[in-house]
């Protein structure tokens, strides 16, 4: 893991994950474009979404990933998130069969109860990746997959931007952020019985610059990535 403080160019006041996402929940959907995460899911060859019977959506947020899964034929989706504000919005969307306030590293969900564990834009809030990959492995049945969509570490390092939001007073507030290199993911996942099946990276392009003109200076840089793991047994 690289220390994000080495790259931080913003020096915003920083809050913990639950506090931050409670504060961000009302405007989250307006600030995270589909190109960051859902477009990456659209391009994956693995898994066969229509063949997934049960999915655990860890760090489910407002329900955007759960909704995407339903639209792609997944029959049952359980969600877990630390933020009550995000969970309330996910409940309104209605994509999940159950929603639980909890930690993605210790969910309380049933062992080997899922064909798929999926998480989007959460790993930067974990100081250590091992507990996440261990819990994902515990939850996944033989033959199952883990899909993780993440901010690309190179983008975090080059941009110097922590995960952040603007609160009701107009202050920019950071949420505790960590940088995990791709090698950190590989090491942790392999240690907990995962095999890499696919990786995809999104770059800052015309579509991104049209949404965020100030990102012109990042054109061509990778901004997010998707890692697809399968159980190694």
């Amino acid at each position: 893991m690289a220390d994000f403080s080495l790259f931080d160019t913003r020096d915003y006041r920083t809050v913990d994950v639950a506090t931050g996402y409670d504060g961000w929940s009302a405007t989250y959907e307006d600030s995270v474009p589909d190109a960051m995460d859902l477009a990456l899911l659209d391009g994956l060859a693995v898994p066969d979404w229509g063949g997934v019977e049960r999915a655990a959506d860890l760090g489910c947020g407002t329900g955007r990933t759960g909704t995407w899964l339903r639209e792609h034929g997944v029959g049952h989706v359980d969600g877990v998130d630390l933020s009550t504000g995000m969970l309330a919005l996910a409940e309104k969307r209605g994509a999940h069969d159950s929603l639980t306030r909890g930690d993605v590293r210790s969910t309380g969900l049933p062992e080997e109860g899922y064909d798929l564990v999926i998480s989007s834009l959460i790993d930067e809030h974990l100081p250590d990746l091992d507990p996440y990959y261990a819990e994902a492995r515990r939850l996944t049945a033989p033959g199952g997959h883990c899909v993780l969509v993440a901010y690309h570490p190179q983008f975090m390092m080059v941009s110097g931007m922590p995960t952040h939001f603007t609160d009701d007073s107009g202050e920019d507030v950071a949420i505790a952020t960590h940088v995990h290199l791709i090698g950190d993911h590989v090491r942790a996942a392999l240690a907990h019985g995962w095999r890499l099946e696919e990786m995809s990276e999104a770059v800052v392009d015309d579509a991104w610059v049209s949404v965020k003109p100030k990102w012109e200076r990042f054109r061509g840089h990778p901004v997010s990535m998707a890692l697809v793991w399968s159980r190694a047994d």
Side-chain angles (χ1 to χ4, degrees), residues 122-206:
I122 67 159
D123 76 296
E124 77 270 21
H125 302 307
L126 303 175
D128 182 2
L129 294 173
D130 283 275
Y132 170 81
Y133 281 111
E135 177 67 354
R137 178 66 168 72
R138 186 187 72 81
L139 295 177
T140 308
H145 291 86
C146 173
V147 176
L148 178 73
V149 180
Y151 286 103
H152 201 289
Q154 195 266 354
F155 185 78
M156 298 171 71
M157 296 159 79
V158 169
S159 69
M161 287 189 291
T163 299
H164 65 281
F165 68 102
T166 304
D167 69 12
D168 292 341
S169 72
E171 179 189 6
D172 290 320
V173 180
I175 303 173
T177 299
H178 306 276
V179 178
H180 299 293
L181 303 179
I182 295 172
D184 296 330
H185 283 277
V186 172
R187 177 200 56 76
L190 292 178
H192 294 286
W194 293 105
R195 179 178 60 238
L196 185 62
E197 291 284 335
E198 185 176 358
M199 177 177 175
S200 181
E201 296 164 292
V203 301
V204 178
D205 55 13
D206 288 341

Side-chain angles (χ1 to χ4, degrees), residues 3 5 8 12 18 31 36 39 64 74 78 101 187 189 195 217 221 229:
D3 183 353
S5 66
D8 190 357
Y12 296 149
S31 52
M36 182 67 78
R64 55 191 281 123
V74 176
D78 292 326
R101 185 177 185 276
R187 177 200 56 76
R195 179 178 60 238
R217 68 189 187 278
H221 285 276
W229 306 94

Side-chain angles (χ1 to χ4, degrees), residues 85-106:
M86 300 292 264
L87 287 169
L89 293 173
E91 185 173 11
K92 288 182 180 179
R93 292 183 87 143
H96 295 86
D97 292 274
S98 74
L99 289 166
T100 303
R101 185 177 185 276
D103 193 309
V104 301
R105 297 164 293 187
S106 180

Side-chain angles (χ1 to χ4, degrees), residues 48-72:
D48 173 11
W49 305 106
V52 174
E53 295 183 5
R54 295 178 62 87
D57 182 8
L58 306 188
C60 63
T62 63
R64 55 191 281 123
T65 301
T67 299
W68 188 94
L69 291 171
R70 289 293 202 186
E71 291 171 348
H72 287 76

